[in-house]
Amino acid sequence: MYWRLSNLYFWFFALLGGLLPYWSLYLEGRGFSYLEIATLMATIQLTKIVAPSVWGWLGDRTGQRVRLVRFGAITGSLFFAGVFMEPGFYGLLLVMLAFTFFWNAIL
């Protein structure tokens, strides 16, 4: 159990360490304005406030914590794939809200 949990934390924070410093540069290269970049970066922090409470409540209510973590990881990955479809600002905003809602839930 120790290795599985530490593996989860390793990949979670590896993604965090790779996403946060370079995501805004990627968005700037795609032509987004500074306000749009700030809004998209804020979605990560916004869902860190909401998602853990929702998923924690759901995990306590159902008792299926491991299953919810797996579901969050898979669903978050699927939503992040929407980035590669190159949506506009509002499409990317929805993708980021959905991705980070599930991604922050697995922590």
Side-chain angles (χ1 to χ4, degrees), residues 26-61:
Y26 169 75
L27 294 172
E28 184 182 25
R30 293 251 333 259
F32 288 101
S33 71
Y34 292 116
L35 182 59
E36 292 171 334
I37 293 171
T39 303
L40 291 170
M41 293 295 289
T43 60
I44 298 169
Q45 302 307 318
L46 174 69
T47 56
K48 278 188 181 186
I49 296 169
V50 176
S53 299
V54 171
W55 289 97
W57 174 83
L58 190 59
D60 289 342
R61 182 133 170 110

mmCIF file of all heavy atoms in Angstrom, residues 26-61:
data_model
loop_
_atom_site.group_PDB
_atom_site.id
_atom_site.type_symbol
_atom_site.label_atom_id
_atom_site.label_comp_id
_atom_site.label_asym_id
_atom_site.label_seq_id
_atom_site.Cartn_x
_atom_site.Cartn_y
_atom_site.Cartn_z
ATOM 1 N N TYR A 26 2.852 28.273 -22.398
ATOM 2 C CA TYR A 26 2.167 27.594 -23.503
ATOM 3 C C TYR A 26 0.969 28.424 -23.972
ATOM 4 O O TYR A 26 0.762 28.610 -25.175
ATOM 5 C CB TYR A 26 1.720 26.203 -23.060
ATOM 6 C CG TYR A 26 0.790 25.519 -24.018
ATOM 7 C CD1 TYR A 26 1.271 24.970 -25.200
ATOM 8 C CD2 TYR A 26 -0.570 25.434 -23.764
ATOM 9 C CE1 TYR A 26 0.412 24.348 -26.099
ATOM 10 C CE2 TYR A 26 -1.437 24.820 -24.644
ATOM 11 C CZ TYR A 26 -0.938 24.279 -25.817
ATOM 12 O OH TYR A 26 -1.792 23.675 -26.691
ATOM 13 N N LEU A 27 0.208 28.929 -23.007
ATOM 14 C CA LEU A 27 -0.964 29.730 -23.360
ATOM 15 C C LEU A 27 -0.566 31.035 -24.051
ATOM 16 O O LEU A 27 -1.236 31.473 -24.992
ATOM 17 C CB LEU A 27 -1.793 30.022 -22.108
ATOM 18 C CG LEU A 27 -2.439 28.805 -21.454
ATOM 19 C CD1 LEU A 27 -3.072 29.194 -20.127
ATOM 20 C CD2 LEU A 27 -3.438 28.153 -22.373
ATOM 21 N N GLU A 28 0.519 31.631 -23.591
ATOM 22 C CA GLU A 28 1.004 32.846 -24.238
ATOM 23 C C GLU A 28 1.435 32.553 -25.673
ATOM 24 O O GLU A 28 1.156 33.332 -26.593
ATOM 25 C CB GLU A 28 2.177 33.427 -23.454
ATOM 26 C CG GLU A 28 2.680 34.736 -24.019
ATOM 27 C CD GLU A 28 3.867 35.270 -23.253
ATOM 28 O OE1 GLU A 28 4.591 34.471 -22.632
ATOM 29 O OE2 GLU A 28 4.064 36.493 -23.279
ATOM 30 N N GLY A 29 2.077 31.428 -25.880
ATOM 31 C CA GLY A 29 2.481 31.033 -27.230
ATOM 32 C C GLY A 29 1.299 30.756 -28.143
ATOM 33 O O GLY A 29 1.405 30.878 -29.359
ATOM 34 N N ARG A 30 0.180 30.373 -27.548
ATOM 35 C CA ARG A 30 -1.043 30.143 -28.331
ATOM 36 C C ARG A 30 -1.799 31.427 -28.607
ATOM 37 O O ARG A 30 -2.827 31.420 -29.284
ATOM 38 C CB ARG A 30 -1.976 29.178 -27.587
ATOM 39 C CG ARG A 30 -1.475 27.772 -27.447
ATOM 40 C CD ARG A 30 -2.191 26.727 -28.275
ATOM 41 N NE ARG A 30 -3.539 26.983 -28.624
ATOM 42 C CZ ARG A 30 -4.622 26.460 -28.025
ATOM 43 N NH1 ARG A 30 -4.466 25.682 -26.994
ATOM 44 N NH2 ARG A 30 -5.821 26.733 -28.459
ATOM 45 N N GLY A 31 -1.315 32.563 -28.071
ATOM 46 C CA GLY A 31 -1.928 33.846 -28.395
ATOM 47 C C GLY A 31 -2.975 34.335 -27.425
ATOM 48 O O GLY A 31 -3.703 35.282 -27.737
ATOM 49 N N PHE A 32 -3.085 33.739 -26.264
ATOM 50 C CA PHE A 32 -4.045 34.210 -25.278
ATOM 51 C C PHE A 32 -3.537 35.498 -24.631
ATOM 52 O O PHE A 32 -2.337 35.694 -24.474
ATOM 53 C CB PHE A 32 -4.282 33.147 -24.195
ATOM 54 C CG PHE A 32 -5.075 31.962 -24.672
ATOM 55 C CD1 PHE A 32 -4.444 30.777 -25.002
ATOM 56 C CD2 PHE A 32 -6.449 32.035 -24.792
ATOM 57 C CE1 PHE A 32 -5.159 29.691 -25.443
ATOM 58 C CE2 PHE A 32 -7.185 30.952 -25.221
ATOM 59 C CZ PHE A 32 -6.537 29.778 -25.563
ATOM 60 N N SER A 33 -4.461 36.356 -24.234
ATOM 61 C CA SER A 33 -4.093 37.603 -23.554
ATOM 62 C C SER A 33 -3.714 37.291 -22.104
ATOM 63 O O SER A 33 -3.976 36.203 -21.595
ATOM 64 C CB SER A 33 -5.259 38.589 -23.582
ATOM 65 O OG SER A 33 -6.297 38.155 -22.724
ATOM 66 N N TYR A 34 -3.122 38.274 -21.446
ATOM 67 C CA TYR A 34 -2.707 38.067 -20.065
ATOM 68 C C TYR A 34 -3.894 37.841 -19.144
ATOM 69 O O TYR A 34 -3.809 37.060 -18.196
ATOM 70 C CB TYR A 34 -1.854 39.234 -19.582
ATOM 71 C CG TYR A 34 -0.524 39.288 -20.267
ATOM 72 C CD1 TYR A 34 -0.185 40.348 -21.085
ATOM 73 C CD2 TYR A 34 0.390 38.247 -20.111
ATOM 74 C CE1 TYR A 34 1.039 40.388 -21.739
ATOM 75 C CE2 TYR A 34 1.618 38.274 -20.755
ATOM 76 C CZ TYR A 34 1.935 39.347 -21.564
ATOM 77 O OH TYR A 34 3.142 39.372 -22.204
ATOM 78 N N LEU A 35 -4.995 38.516 -19.402
ATOM 79 C CA LEU A 35 -6.200 38.325 -18.596
ATOM 80 C C LEU A 35 -6.754 36.915 -18.790
ATOM 81 O O LEU A 35 -7.181 36.267 -17.826
ATOM 82 C CB LEU A 35 -7.251 39.380 -18.946
ATOM 83 C CG LEU A 35 -8.544 39.330 -18.149
ATOM 84 C CD1 LEU A 35 -8.261 39.501 -16.651
ATOM 85 C CD2 LEU A 35 -9.507 40.396 -18.631
ATOM 86 N N GLU A 36 -6.760 36.430 -20.016
ATOM 87 C CA GLU A 36 -7.233 35.071 -20.279
ATOM 88 C C GLU A 36 -6.318 34.040 -19.618
ATOM 89 O O GLU A 36 -6.792 33.051 -19.044
ATOM 90 C CB GLU A 36 -7.313 34.821 -21.787
ATOM 91 C CG GLU A 36 -8.393 35.618 -22.472
ATOM 92 C CD GLU A 36 -8.332 35.526 -23.981
ATOM 93 O OE1 GLU A 36 -7.232 35.283 -24.537
ATOM 94 O OE2 GLU A 36 -9.393 35.700 -24.617
ATOM 95 N N ILE A 37 -5.013 34.275 -19.685
ATOM 96 C CA ILE A 37 -4.057 33.358 -19.047
ATOM 97 C C ILE A 37 -4.273 33.347 -17.542
ATOM 98 O O ILE A 37 -4.290 32.287 -16.908
ATOM 99 C CB ILE A 37 -2.611 33.743 -19.401
ATOM 100 C CG1 ILE A 37 -2.356 33.509 -20.891
ATOM 101 C CG2 ILE A 37 -1.619 32.955 -18.559
ATOM 102 C CD1 ILE A 37 -1.034 34.062 -21.385
ATOM 103 N N ALA A 38 -4.455 34.514 -16.960
ATOM 104 C CA ALA A 38 -4.693 34.598 -15.516
ATOM 105 C C ALA A 38 -5.977 33.879 -15.128
ATOM 106 O O ALA A 38 -6.032 33.192 -14.098
ATOM 107 C CB ALA A 38 -4.749 36.051 -15.080
ATOM 108 N N THR A 39 -7.006 34.000 -15.938
ATOM 109 C CA THR A 39 -8.270 33.322 -15.663
ATOM 110 C C THR A 39 -8.089 31.810 -15.738
ATOM 111 O O THR A 39 -8.588 31.076 -14.869
ATOM 112 C CB THR A 39 -9.346 33.784 -16.664
ATOM 113 O OG1 THR A 39 -9.477 35.202 -16.582
ATOM 114 C CG2 THR A 39 -10.675 33.134 -16.371
ATOM 115 N N LEU A 40 -7.389 31.332 -16.756
ATOM 116 C CA LEU A 40 -7.168 29.893 -16.888
ATOM 117 C C LEU A 40 -6.286 29.357 -15.760
ATOM 118 O O LEU A 40 -6.508 28.241 -15.277
ATOM 119 C CB LEU A 40 -6.552 29.583 -18.255
ATOM 120 C CG LEU A 40 -7.480 29.807 -19.441
ATOM 121 C CD1 LEU A 40 -6.719 29.702 -20.748
ATOM 122 C CD2 LEU A 40 -8.635 28.824 -19.415
ATOM 123 N N MET A 41 -5.316 30.126 -15.326
ATOM 124 C CA MET A 41 -4.474 29.695 -14.205
ATOM 125 C C MET A 41 -5.268 29.697 -12.896
ATOM 126 O O MET A 41 -5.016 28.888 -12.016
ATOM 127 C CB MET A 41 -3.257 30.608 -14.078
ATOM 128 C CG MET A 41 -2.265 30.519 -15.214
ATOM 129 S SD MET A 41 -1.470 28.927 -15.350
ATOM 130 C CE MET A 41 -0.410 28.939 -13.915
ATOM 131 N N ALA A 42 -6.219 30.605 -12.781
ATOM 132 C CA ALA A 42 -7.024 30.687 -11.559
ATOM 133 C C ALA A 42 -7.959 29.499 -11.413
ATOM 134 O O ALA A 42 -8.359 29.173 -10.293
ATOM 135 C CB ALA A 42 -7.817 31.986 -11.542
ATOM 136 N N THR A 43 -8.307 28.854 -12.515
ATOM 137 C CA THR A 43 -9.191 27.690 -12.408
ATOM 138 C C THR A 43 -8.542 26.584 -11.585
ATOM 139 O O THR A 43 -9.238 25.849 -10.890
ATOM 140 C CB THR A 43 -9.569 27.131 -13.793
ATOM 141 O OG1 THR A 43 -8.391 26.729 -14.479
ATOM 142 C CG2 THR A 43 -10.328 28.142 -14.608
ATOM 143 N N ILE A 44 -7.226 26.478 -11.655
ATOM 144 C CA ILE A 44 -6.526 25.457 -10.876
ATOM 145 C C ILE A 44 -6.740 25.711 -9.386
ATOM 146 O O ILE A 44 -7.054 24.797 -8.619
ATOM 147 C CB ILE A 44 -5.027 25.436 -11.236
ATOM 148 C CG1 ILE A 44 -4.837 25.074 -12.706
ATOM 149 C CG2 ILE A 44 -4.266 24.484 -10.338
ATOM 150 C CD1 ILE A 44 -3.421 25.276 -13.227
ATOM 151 N N GLN A 45 -6.600 26.968 -8.976
ATOM 152 C CA GLN A 45 -6.767 27.307 -7.566
ATOM 153 C C GLN A 45 -8.234 27.265 -7.142
ATOM 154 O O GLN A 45 -8.537 26.881 -6.012
ATOM 155 C CB GLN A 45 -6.178 28.688 -7.289
ATOM 156 C CG GLN A 45 -4.718 28.815 -7.642
ATOM 157 C CD GLN A 45 -3.861 27.736 -7.017
ATOM 158 O OE1 GLN A 45 -4.036 27.381 -5.861
ATOM 159 N NE2 GLN A 45 -2.932 27.200 -7.784
ATOM 160 N N LEU A 46 -9.127 27.658 -8.031
ATOM 161 C CA LEU A 46 -10.554 27.635 -7.710
ATOM 162 C C LEU A 46 -11.021 26.220 -7.404
ATOM 163 O O LEU A 46 -11.724 25.991 -6.413
ATOM 164 C CB LEU A 46 -11.370 28.224 -8.866
ATOM 165 C CG LEU A 46 -12.884 28.143 -8.721
ATOM 166 C CD1 LEU A 46 -13.345 29.061 -7.608
ATOM 167 C CD2 LEU A 46 -13.554 28.492 -10.027
ATOM 168 N N THR A 47 -10.628 25.278 -8.227
ATOM 169 C CA THR A 47 -11.075 23.913 -7.995
ATOM 170 C C THR A 47 -10.363 23.273 -6.803
ATOM 171 O O THR A 47 -10.878 22.310 -6.244
ATOM 172 C CB THR A 47 -10.894 23.040 -9.255
ATOM 173 O OG1 THR A 47 -9.530 23.098 -9.666
ATOM 174 C CG2 THR A 47 -11.807 23.506 -10.365
ATOM 175 N N LYS A 48 -9.211 23.810 -6.404
ATOM 176 C CA LYS A 48 -8.563 23.310 -5.181
ATOM 177 C C LYS A 48 -9.371 23.661 -3.944
ATOM 178 O O LYS A 48 -9.223 23.036 -2.903
ATOM 179 C CB LYS A 48 -7.155 23.887 -5.039
ATOM 180 C CG LYS A 48 -6.137 23.156 -5.841
ATOM 181 C CD LYS A 48 -4.753 23.649 -5.510
ATOM 182 C CE LYS A 48 -3.766 22.897 -6.371
ATOM 183 N NZ LYS A 48 -2.395 23.180 -6.045
ATOM 184 N N ILE A 49 -10.227 24.654 -4.040
ATOM 185 C CA ILE A 49 -11.088 25.034 -2.933
ATOM 186 C C ILE A 49 -12.323 24.144 -2.891
ATOM 187 O O ILE A 49 -12.747 23.704 -1.823
ATOM 188 C CB ILE A 49 -11.493 26.519 -3.049
ATOM 189 C CG1 ILE A 49 -10.252 27.405 -2.937
ATOM 190 C CG2 ILE A 49 -12.537 26.895 -2.016
ATOM 191 C CD1 ILE A 49 -10.504 28.848 -3.300
ATOM 192 N N VAL A 50 -12.901 23.872 -4.050
ATOM 193 C CA VAL A 50 -14.186 23.183 -4.119
ATOM 194 C C VAL A 50 -14.042 21.662 -4.195
ATOM 195 O O VAL A 50 -14.713 20.929 -3.455
ATOM 196 C CB VAL A 50 -14.985 23.701 -5.338
ATOM 197 C CG1 VAL A 50 -16.284 22.952 -5.502
ATOM 198 C CG2 VAL A 50 -15.228 25.190 -5.212
ATOM 199 N N ALA A 51 -13.186 21.171 -5.065
ATOM 200 C CA ALA A 51 -13.136 19.745 -5.379
ATOM 201 C C ALA A 51 -12.822 18.842 -4.189
ATOM 202 O O ALA A 51 -13.515 17.828 -4.003
ATOM 203 C CB ALA A 51 -12.146 19.485 -6.513
ATOM 204 N N PRO A 52 -11.823 19.123 -3.359
ATOM 205 C CA PRO A 52 -11.537 18.200 -2.257
ATOM 206 C C PRO A 52 -12.707 18.029 -1.287
ATOM 207 O O PRO A 52 -12.932 16.932 -0.780
ATOM 208 C CB PRO A 52 -10.329 18.826 -1.561
ATOM 209 C CG PRO A 52 -9.663 19.619 -2.613
ATOM 210 C CD PRO A 52 -10.780 20.162 -3.451
ATOM 211 N N SER A 53 -13.454 19.088 -1.052
ATOM 212 C CA SER A 53 -14.608 18.977 -0.161
ATOM 213 C C SER A 53 -15.690 18.094 -0.762
ATOM 214 O O SER A 53 -16.262 17.240 -0.082
ATOM 215 C CB SER A 53 -15.179 20.365 0.140
ATOM 216 O OG SER A 53 -14.222 21.151 0.784
ATOM 217 N N VAL A 54 -15.958 18.294 -2.035
ATOM 218 C CA VAL A 54 -16.984 17.493 -2.709
ATOM 219 C C VAL A 54 -16.568 16.026 -2.757
ATOM 220 O O VAL A 54 -17.339 15.130 -2.395
ATOM 221 C CB VAL A 54 -17.236 18.030 -4.139
ATOM 222 C CG1 VAL A 54 -18.127 17.089 -4.926
ATOM 223 C CG2 VAL A 54 -17.831 19.418 -4.083
ATOM 224 N N TRP A 55 -15.344 15.771 -3.189
ATOM 225 C CA TRP A 55 -14.885 14.386 -3.319
ATOM 226 C C TRP A 55 -14.661 13.734 -1.966
ATOM 227 O O TRP A 55 -14.864 12.521 -1.816
ATOM 228 C CB TRP A 55 -13.629 14.327 -4.179
ATOM 229 C CG TRP A 55 -13.954 14.604 -5.603
ATOM 230 C CD1 TRP A 55 -13.844 15.795 -6.249
ATOM 231 C CD2 TRP A 55 -14.482 13.690 -6.554
ATOM 232 N NE1 TRP A 55 -14.257 15.671 -7.536
ATOM 233 C CE2 TRP A 55 -14.661 14.393 -7.757
ATOM 234 C CE3 TRP A 55 -14.820 12.344 -6.512
ATOM 235 C CZ2 TRP A 55 -15.154 13.786 -8.905
ATOM 236 C CZ3 TRP A 55 -15.315 11.742 -7.655
ATOM 237 C CH2 TRP A 55 -15.481 12.462 -8.829
ATOM 238 N N GLY A 56 -14.220 14.502 -0.961
ATOM 239 C CA GLY A 56 -14.076 13.953 0.386
ATOM 240 C C GLY A 56 -15.411 13.535 0.961
ATOM 241 O O GLY A 56 -15.546 12.467 1.561
ATOM 242 N N TRP A 57 -16.421 14.379 0.764
ATOM 243 C CA TRP A 57 -17.764 14.035 1.222
ATOM 244 C C TRP A 57 -18.265 12.789 0.512
ATOM 245 O O TRP A 57 -18.825 11.883 1.140
ATOM 246 C CB TRP A 57 -18.710 15.210 0.971
ATOM 247 C CG TRP A 57 -20.140 14.880 1.284
ATOM 248 C CD1 TRP A 57 -20.733 14.904 2.505
ATOM 249 C CD2 TRP A 57 -21.132 14.449 0.349
ATOM 250 N NE1 TRP A 57 -22.050 14.524 2.389
ATOM 251 C CE2 TRP A 57 -22.315 14.227 1.077
ATOM 252 C CE3 TRP A 57 -21.131 14.228 -1.021
ATOM 253 C CZ2 TRP A 57 -23.491 13.798 0.472
ATOM 254 C CZ3 TRP A 57 -22.295 13.800 -1.624
ATOM 255 C CH2 TRP A 57 -23.467 13.593 -0.879
ATOM 256 N N LEU A 58 -18.046 12.743 -0.797
ATOM 257 C CA LEU A 58 -18.505 11.584 -1.573
ATOM 258 C C LEU A 58 -17.779 10.312 -1.147
ATOM 259 O O LEU A 58 -18.384 9.243 -1.037
ATOM 260 C CB LEU A 58 -18.297 11.850 -3.065
ATOM 261 C CG LEU A 58 -18.923 10.879 -4.050
ATOM 262 C CD1 LEU A 58 -20.430 10.819 -3.870
ATOM 263 C CD2 LEU A 58 -18.584 11.286 -5.467
ATOM 264 N N GLY A 59 -16.470 10.418 -0.885
ATOM 265 C CA GLY A 59 -15.706 9.257 -0.432
ATOM 266 C C GLY A 59 -16.157 8.767 0.936
ATOM 267 O O GLY A 59 -16.249 7.560 1.177
ATOM 268 N N ASP A 60 -16.477 9.701 1.833
ATOM 269 C CA ASP A 60 -16.967 9.313 3.155
ATOM 270 C C ASP A 60 -18.361 8.694 3.073
ATOM 271 O O ASP A 60 -18.667 7.756 3.795
ATOM 272 C CB ASP A 60 -17.003 10.520 4.089
ATOM 273 C CG ASP A 60 -15.615 10.987 4.482
ATOM 274 O OD1 ASP A 60 -14.656 10.200 4.329
ATOM 275 O OD2 ASP A 60 -15.492 12.149 4.930
ATOM 276 N N ARG A 61 -19.151 9.235 2.198
ATOM 277 C CA ARG A 61 -20.534 8.753 2.077
ATOM 278 C C ARG A 61 -20.603 7.361 1.462
ATOM 279 O O ARG A 61 -21.399 6.538 1.886
ATOM 280 C CB ARG A 61 -21.328 9.746 1.231
ATOM 281 C CG ARG A 61 -22.763 9.412 1.069
ATOM 282 C CD ARG A 61 -23.597 10.634 1.335
ATOM 283 N NE ARG A 61 -24.965 10.407 0.961
ATOM 284 C CZ ARG A 61 -25.928 10.307 1.853
ATOM 285 N NH1 ARG A 61 -25.672 10.433 3.119
ATOM 286 N NH2 ARG A 61 -27.160 10.122 1.466
#
